Amino acid sequence: MEKIRTLRGFRDIIGEELEKFRRIEAVFRKYCDLLGFREVELPVLEKTDLFVRSIGDTTDIVEKEMFTFTDIGGDSLTMRPEATAGMVRSYLQEGLYAKERMTKVFTIGPMFRHERPQKGRYREFHQIDVEVFGVKEPLVDAELIWMVHMLLNELGVERYRIEVNSVGCKTCRESFRNVLIDFFETKKGELCEDCLRRLERNPLRIFDCKNEQCIRVTEDSPFLFDSLCGECRDHFELFERHIEGFGIALNINKRLVRGLDYYTKTVFEVTSDDLGAQKAFIAGGRYDNLVEEMGGPATAGIGFAVGVERFAMLIAPREGKTGKLCFFAFVGDQARDHLIPLLKACAAQGINLLYSYEGKSLKSQMRYADNLKCDFVFILGDDEIQKGIIMLRDMAGAVQHELPLDPEKIVAELKRLTNP
Ligand code: ATP
Ligand code: MG
């Protein structure tokens, strides 16, 4: 019969990669605690409208990447492609704007986008997502960058760039829109089909195009960064000053727009040349209008998402094993009866004692212990029981010596061996 495999772009996360995921999460949780972020778990499935309204209907995500389907009840549902939309929904649904002066939350989990799978790009991938609601001061923009900086340091990522830009507010965008349209109108022949559509509906999106030729066209274009309104300029300058205070190096990238419509003012991405084509592994920014646009009171917001798969590609695997491994080899029914009391005594002390369930021959058990890379093997058979002893073999030196067959003494010895 044909074996069933995972869906295209969906993967099992196992072994070394999973260990890295867990390590990234652990370090991340530590900094969330330190900076006062509270964890929330959100549904993976939400109403399609939530994403269309927040992410924007001219974005790549909404136009072509969502896992959207109609359920049995006839509702249009979508597997979340990102976390901010759900975070805003939850913030409003829980009425947090009325309960707290500001809200700092984070969530960790899978996201879904129907993209062409390749290295660093999957249809199911994982994000760690951080959001702050209710703070308009640029101090929080800088704080988030500082948090990212600490994470990268602690996890040993050395080659990275923090790229920042300001995409302004409605006021600066409105007046800049026409400048952009005038510019790109003269370059229409060089733009891809998607960008021609973007030119009609949302010209700023052209900067997010991955097409080589479109990227070249944008090289001579005017930048929104150079025509920010006074308020947005002040915000950015203060942000830069705080970042300087934290002692972090930034790279201003005036082309950076991000793939979601809701961003305002500060946007940022962390990229690494060690990643190949999909260079960005952390991305975020401010979204000061989103809460209001989603039906809430005017509330500033800012957040970022860590792409865990890409982050994991940048950190080293954990070195070697910690502690020593011990194995219990028993031959015969009588010897097997010694296993359970010994196991219980070990478990009570938090000691992991390995063994094979079948018992089988001593030779096969020794081979198994060797495969498991055990450091020590306790051997018990009828002979040993008669003498009131147990053999302890040091696998490295292949030397063995006798110990009294006394559970207390054996556990004490195990404890000594496993905690050097
Ligand atoms: P890209 O330009 O790579 O498509 P994006 O702008 O669509 O990224 P965001 O929506 O900002 O990405 O998501 C934040 C992070 O999530 C990205 O920087 C990346 O690390 C990760 N990410 C996004 N899409 C995928 C995917 N399909 N597979 C794996 N990771 C992804
Ligand atoms: Mg994308």
Side-chain angles (χ1 to χ4, degrees):
M1 216 199 299
E2 200 188 319
K3 292 199 190 82
I4 297 173
R5 300 181 58 86
T6 50
L7 300 169
R8 192 163 132 78
F10 287 64
R11 301 178 317 132
D12 300 317
I13 315 287
I14 53 176
E16 195 173 88
E17 188 180 21
L18 185 62
E19 187 279 314
K20 290 181 184 176
F21 269 47
R22 292 295 173 257
R23 206 160 7 121
I24 293 167
E25 276 178 32
V27 173
F28 189 83
R29 279 175 198 280
K30 185 175 107 182
Y31 286 106
C32 280
D33 256 6
L34 182 75
L35 299 176
F37 287 85
R38 163 175 91 226
E39 184 166 16
V40 292
E41 284 266 3
L42 302 178
V44 164
L45 201 57
E46 300 255 16
K47 287 184 182 159
T48 300
D49 248 6
L50 172 67
F51 304 110
V52 176
R53 273 171 55 192
S54 59
I55 298 170
D57 56 4
T58 59
T59 58
D60 278 359
I61 295 181
V62 170
E63 277 188 337
K64 47 193 181 199
E65 296 175 358
M66 295 207 301
F67 276 91
T68 296
F69 63 94
T70 309
D71 78 348
I72 306 173
D75 294 318
S76 178
L77 307 181
T78 295
M79 308 278 285
R80 63 180 182 194
E82 56 105 51
T84 306
M87 288 290 229
V88 171
R89 186 215 26 77
S90 165
Y91 176 76
L92 293 177
Q93 194 168 333
E94 303 299 322
L96 297 182
Y97 49 86
K99 294 182 191 157
E100 342 184 281
R101 146 192 233 148
M102 64 153 184
T103 298
K104 288 175 126 181
V105 278
F106 76 98
T107 196
I108 301 179
M111 307 294 154
F112 304 84
R113 295 185 196 175
H114 203 287
E115 303 194 74
R116 196 170 66 76
Q118 53 196 284
K119 185 166 177 255
R121 195 182 289 295
Y122 310 103
R123 290 183 175 174
E124 180 183 35
F125 61 98
H126 297 78
Q127 285 187 343
I128 300 174
D129 185 82
V130 167
E131 311 287 348
V132 182
F133 296 102
V135 185
K136 60 180 194 316
E137 282 70 24
L139 184 54
V140 74
D141 308 30
E143 185 192 60
L144 292 190
I145 300 272
W146 176 51
M147 183 182 191
V148 163
H149 179 79
M150 289 191 288
L151 262 162
L152 292 166
N153 267 347
E154 180 145 350
L155 286 159
V157 181
E158 277 161 14
R159 299 213 314 158
Y160 63 86
R161 280 166 66 85
I162 303 176
E163 302 193 8
V164 299
N165 191 17
S166 174
V167 293
C169 60
K170 276 186 186 143
T171 319
C172 1
R173 273 214 294 254
E174 200 44 54
S175 51
F176 185 67
R177 192 186 148 91
N178 293 325
V179 177
L180 261 194
I181 292 178
D182 287 348
F183 171 79
F184 285 118
E185 280 290 341
T186 67
K187 309 273 179 185
K188 260 181 152 172
E190 295 160 60
L191 293 176
C192 73
E193 239 168 71
D194 279 346
C195 282
L196 288 176
R197 239 172 343 112
R198 292 176 178 129
L199 182 55
E200 300 283 316
R201 300 181 59 192
N202 191 349
L204 212 54
R205 286 255 69 79
I206 295 174
F207 288 102
D208 205 31
C209 187
K210 306 249 154 61
N211 187 312
E212 292 278 330
Q213 183 147 338
C214 298
I215 293 175
R216 259 197 308 280
V217 173
T218 60
E219 265 155 24
D220 317 313
S221 114
F223 293 109
L224 177 51
F225 186 85
D226 299 319
S227 40
L228 293 175
C229 72
E231 191 200 317
C232 288
R233 172 126 314 276
D234 290 349
H235 185 98
F236 195 82
E237 278 168 9
L238 196 48
F239 162 66
E240 279 188 300
R241 215 163 85 211
H242 295 320
I243 282 292
E244 218 179 284
F246 282 119
I248 299 170
L250 289 185
N251 302 277
I252 295 176
N253 173 0
K254 298 180 182 178
R255 301 187 66 258
L256 185 67
V257 292
R258 313 277 304 105
L260 305 94
D261 274 351
Y262 50 61
Y263 286 111
T264 54
K265 296 196 170 102
T266 319
V267 292
F268 62 94
E269 271 186 7
V270 185
T271 61
S272 174
D273 287 335
D274 294 337
L275 283 175
Q278 319 308 333
K279 280 179 17 171
F281 63 105
I282 300 176
R286 183 167 272 287
Y287 47 84
D288 288 344
N289 306 318
L290 183 58
V291 173
E292 193 174 8
E293 281 166 11
M294 297 302 287
T299 307
I302 182 168
F304 68 82
V306 176
V308 183
E309 280 79 357
R310 292 186 201 171
F311 202 134
M313 288 159 79
L314 296 172
I315 67 175
R318 195 192 289 291
E319 289 167 10
K321 59 178 189 198
T322 49
K324 302 280 186 191
L325 293 179
C326 295
F327 191 95
F328 181 65
F330 55 90
V331 183
D333 293 345
Q334 241 192 314
R336 192 187 52 214
D337 288 344
H338 286 265
L339 172 68
I340 292 175
L342 192 57
L343 272 182
K344 286 174 69 180
C346 284
Q349 298 286 328
I351 299 167
N352 176 14
L353 182 63
L354 303 170
Y355 56 96
S356 92
Y357 294 85
E358 311 94 323
K360 285 203 182 154
S361 70
L362 181 60
K363 200 170 150 199
S364 97
Q365 291 187 65
M366 293 307 284
R367 206 180 308 125
Y368 183 46
D370 208 39
N371 284 344
L372 293 175
K373 300 201 164 50
C374 290
D375 302 281
F376 300 96
V377 180
F378 289 85
I379 302 168
L380 190 65
D382 292 341
D383 281 357
E384 284 81 10
I385 292 173
Q386 218 155 44
K387 288 193 219 155
I389 56 145
I390 188 166
M391 282 297 193
L392 172 57
R393 178 183 290 207
D394 180 339
M395 299 293 272
V399 286
Q400 51 187 50
H401 66 271
E402 298 173 0
L403 290 175
L405 182 54
D406 170 349
E408 239 170 72
K409 295 217 170 89
I410 297 175
V411 170
E413 183 65 7
L414 269 163
K415 209 169 178 176
R416 194 180 67 79
L417 294 174
T418 49
N419 297 304

